[in-house]
Amino acid sequence: MSNFEYGLSVDSEKYLTPSSAANFYSNLSLEEQKELFLLKYNDVSRDDVSVMLKDFIRCDIGRKGHLDEYEAMILMEDREIVITAPELREMIQSADLICSHKLIFIEWCCAYFKKSYKGLPQS
C-alpha cells in the first residue's frame, strides 16, 4: 500500500470525524489499517505492529475483523498483561469510535500503543 493508492498524506489537513472514521476504517482490510497506523505513527516499530496484527487475527475468534471484550481480554492475557475487566472496558470505551463495544484493528492499535486518532489520515 502506498500513499498514492489512497491519496493519503501525513500532513493532510483533512481528518475523519469519529462517526465517519469507524465507517471508513472498518471498510479497510486489516493490513490496510496496519499501514495507515504506521503511516501516521512512525515512532511505533513495524515489527511490533505486525506482531500485534498476528495476535489480533488469532484472537478474532469469528474472523469478524474486530475484537469484542472477551477476545480483547484473551489478547491482553496472551501478552501477559494483567488488566481487570473494568480497566479493559474503560480502554475499549475510550478507543471505540462508534460505541459498538468492539474494536477494529486500528482502534486497538491506538488504544494499545497509546496513540490518538486525531490526525489519522483519510482518503
Side-chain angles (χ1 to χ4, degrees):
M1 179 177 84
S2 70
N3 292 356
F4 179 77
E5 288 175 274
Y6 292 101
L8 300 174
S9 169
V10 174
D11 299 324
S12 173
E13 292 299 315
K14 293 183 177 182
Y15 302 110
L16 296 170
T17 63
S19 59
S20 64
N23 186 37
F24 174 76
Y25 293 126
S26 64
N27 287 322
L28 298 176
S29 72
L30 296 175
E31 189 66 30
E32 290 169 328
Q33 291 178 49
K34 177 185 95 171
E35 292 301 324
L36 280 175
F37 182 81
L38 289 167
L39 176 68
K40 174 62 182 175
Y41 299 111
N42 56 13
D43 61 321
V44 180
S45 97
R46 177 171 288 281
D47 290 341
D48 288 347
V49 178
S50 294
V51 169
M52 180 59 75
L53 178 57
K54 288 178 186 174
D55 291 347
F56 184 94
I57 291 168
R58 184 179 37 76
C59 291
D60 179 9
I61 297 170
R63 302 291 183 254
K64 307 166 298 301
H66 63 261
L67 298 182
D68 61 27
E69 187 176 299
Y70 173 74
E71 294 163 332
M73 184 62 87
I74 291 171
L75 180 52
M76 295 298 270
E77 288 173 355
D78 286 354
R79 292 182 150 255
E80 299 180 1
I81 297 172
V82 178
I83 187 169
T84 65
E87 290 170 331
L88 180 66
R89 276 187 207 103
E90 184 179 323
M91 179 182 149
I92 290 173
Q93 287 173 350
S94 68
D96 186 8
L97 292 174
I98 58 168
C99 302
S100 64
H101 306 287
K102 302 168 189 159
L103 295 179
I104 60 174
F105 184 67
I106 202 163
E107 290 173 324
W108 177 262
C109 284
C110 285
Y112 185 84
F113 294 109
K114 297 181 174 140
K115 300 296 181 183
S116 170
Y117 295 110
K118 186 176 181 175
L120 279 173
Q122 73 174 24
S123 63

